Amino acid sequence: MVDDPWSSALHRLWQAASRAEEVAALADDVYAPLLATPGVHRVVGTRWDGRQVLRYMRALSAGSDTPVIVATTRSMPGAAVREPGGEPVVDRLEVAGLDDAVWPEEEFLREAPGGSVVSCTFRLDQRGWAALALAVDASADLAVVESRLTQAVDVIVACHTGILQRGREARRGADDALLAEASLQMDSSLDVEDTLRRVARIAVPAVADGALVHLARGEGPEFVAATHVAVQQQRALEAAGRDDPWLGELLARRGEDEDTVFLTGAALDGSPFTGPAAPVPATATADTDAGADADAGEGHHPTVVSISPLRARGRVLGTITFVYQRPEARLPDSAFLRSLATRAALAIDNALLYELRRTAVLSLQEHLLPSQLPVTDRWDLSASYAVGDPMLDVGGDFYDAVLRPDGSIALLIGDVCGRGAEAAALTGLARHTLRTLLEEGTDAGTALSRLNRALRQERASRFLTAVVATLAPQSDGTVLLSTCSAGHPPPLVLRGDGTVSEVLSGGLLLGVLDDVSYQSHQERLTPDDTLVLFTDGLTESREAGGTFFESVLPARLAALRGSDAAHIAESLARQARAFRDSGQDDIALLVARWTGLPPDPGLLPPDHRLEQAALR
C-alpha cells in the first residue's frame, strides 16, 4: 500500500515520542518521513516564545543528512499574525509572497524547487508556539502533504505535553519530598530561635536564592532570620530585613494577605532588591525542561520576590519572603509556597507555644518550691531541682526546710505520683500542710498522719511518698536525727570520714489507706556529717546497659567527702543526668551538713581526685 512507509514511520515517531525527554530529539523522526513524501523538497521548523521572539530554526533538504540549525533570540513583532490560538493552523502559500519580517523560514524555502509552501503553526504551551513549513513542487498531492503534516504535528504536541506532564510530576514529587523534609527539619526543634533559622534555611537554594523571615509584632514586622546562597548577598539581605523602610512598609501591608504575592519589574522600584541582575546559581542551570530554553538568556535573570503569610491556628504570625534570580520556569507555584508557609507557621507557632508553656511551667514549679532555705550558722543547707520531662509538665517533687520552735530544723522531701496540674495541686497541698504543721511544733509522725487524712478526705486519685527528717542539736555537739518516712527512698548519711550509710525508714504511702500511723527512727550525726535526701528520679536514672544510678550512688557520694552542701547537691544531680540513658523523672535533692558547735569549724579541703575517680 502507498501509505505503508508513512504508517511505519508514524508508528516509529509515536514510539520515539513516548521516550523523548525533549521535543528536539524527534527532529530526525519527523523531518525524514516528511521529506520522503512525493513533491516535498525541504522542511523548516521554527520555535517561538510568546513575545514573538524566534528562538530556534532547523532546516533539512531532501537528499541531505545534515540539517542547518540556527539558535537565536531575534525579536520579530510581525510574526504575531502567525501565532496560533488553540488549534493548529494549516496554510498554503507561495514562496514569492512570503514576507521575511514574518517568515524567517523564507531564506531556506526560496532555495527549494517548486515555489509553494504548506505550513502548520501550533501552540506548544502558554509560553510558546512552533511551526513546520514544507517546500513542495507542483507534483505534490497537497491533501496528502497536509494530512501527514498535521499527523506529525499531533505527535509533536503530544510529546511536548507528555514531557511537561512528566516534568510537573517530577517537580511535584520533588516538592512533596522537600515539604516532608522541611516538616521534619522544622519540627525537630522546639527552640524558637533555632526553628526560625531552620525556616529560613530549608528553602535555600532548593526553592529560592534567598529567604527572609519576619514575625508580626504590635509595632510592625520584626526581622528574625535571613539566608542567601551568596554570603555577600546574605549580609545585604539581613540589612534589608532589619532596616529597609520600603520592605517594612510592604510587609506590614501584606501581612494579612490570604495567599502568596509575586513582585517583579516596576513593582520592585525603590526596593532593596533592585539593581544589577545576579548570576544564575549553578544549581539553576541543571534543571531544565522542554520550555526552559525560552527563558534562557545570557546567565542573568530579573529578580522576582514572593511574600507568603505565616498563618497558623487562625492567626498571622508573620511573613516569609523569598528572593529569586532564576528562570521563570523554575519559580515555585503559589500552592507549593502556601503549603511550605503553613508548615513553617505551624513549626514556629509550636515553638512559641512551647516557649510560653515552658516559662509558665518553670514559674509554677518555682512557686511549688521554697524561694530560699533557712540560713543558720549551725547548718550548711542546699537543694537542687532538675526538670526531667522534655514535655515540661509540672512535676510532683517537692522539698522544704523548716525552723521549729524548739531550735531543731525539719527537712522534708516528697514525690507525688505522676505529672501535670493534678500532681501540682497535690504537691502544693502536701508541702504547705507539712510545713505548717512542722512550724507549729507537730512531730513528724503526726504531721504525716494528718496529711494522709487530708488526702483521703479530698479523695485524691494519686498517692505520694515523703520523708521528714528532724535534726535536733545536742549539748555534746552532736545532732539527734529523727527520720519518719512514708514509702520514700531512704536518705543517706555521708560521714566525716567518707563512709556512707543508709537511714532506716519505712511506712505506707500517703493517700492510700485511712488512719495510718508513722514511726520515727533515730540516730546521731557528728560535725561534718552530711544528710542527703532525694527523690527517686535520682536513684532510678538508668544507663544504656540497664544499671541504675542507685547502685553507684554511695560511691559517688563518698567521693564528695569534704564538699559543702551546694556542691554535693549540684554534683549528684549533674552526675545522674549524665549517667542516664533512659528515665525522665525530675530529680530533687536536699542536703544538710552539720557544722557542729562552735559554728564553722572549717571544711576539709575537697579532694576532687576522689570525685573524678568515682565517675570512672
Side-chain angles (χ1 to χ4, degrees), residues 57 95 98-100 103-111:
M57 187 158 55
V95 174
L98 298 180
D99 181 355
D100 59 6
W103 292 81
E105 306 100 313
E106 184 265 346
E107 63 176 301
F108 295 106
L109 295 172
R110 70 186 176 202
E111 298 173 358

Side-chain angles (χ1 to χ4, degrees), residues 8 51 94 120 140 212 254 288 309 357 414 427 480 510 561:
S8 298
R51 296 163 297 202
E94 295 300 319
C120 182
L212 285 159
R254 296 295 184 186
T288 60
R357 179 183 180 188
T427 297
L480 180 62
L510 295 164
R561 179 180 69 92

Side-chain angles (χ1 to χ4, degrees), residues 361 365 369 384-390 392-398 414-415 418-419 534-541 577 580 583-589:
V361 166
Q365 196 82 65
L369 300 173
S384 176
Y385 194 102
V387 176
D389 185 2
L392 287 177
D393 279 330
V394 182
D397 293 12
F398 63 92
D415 185 3
R419 309 184 66 85
F534 47 86
T535 57
D536 59 8
L538 180 76
T539 54
E540 293 180 2
S541 295
R577 292 196 301 271
R580 71 182 174 195
Q584 299 295 328
D585 202 2
D586 292 359
I587 296 174
L589 288 118

Side-chain angles (χ1 to χ4, degrees), residues 432-506:
H432 290 290
T433 298
L434 289 177
R435 179 183 180 87
T436 300
L437 292 172
L438 293 171
E439 280 181 327
E440 292 174 349
T442 306
D443 68 89
T446 302
L448 288 174
S449 295
R450 290 178 65 177
L451 173 59
N452 181 74
R453 186 159 60 250
L455 293 173
R456 296 296 292 169
Q457 290 173 349
E458 291 292 330
R459 297 182 179 180
S461 61
R462 298 170 185 260
F463 62 84
L464 62 93
T465 66
V467 63
V468 178
T470 304
L471 303 163
Q474 304 298 301
S475 59
D476 61 357
T478 64
V479 169
L480 180 62
L481 168 63
S482 299
T483 307
C484 193
S485 177
H488 198 81
L492 297 178
V493 175
L494 171 61
R495 301 292 179 179
D497 61 2
T499 59
V500 176
S501 61
E502 186 177 275
V503 177
L504 295 178
S505 61

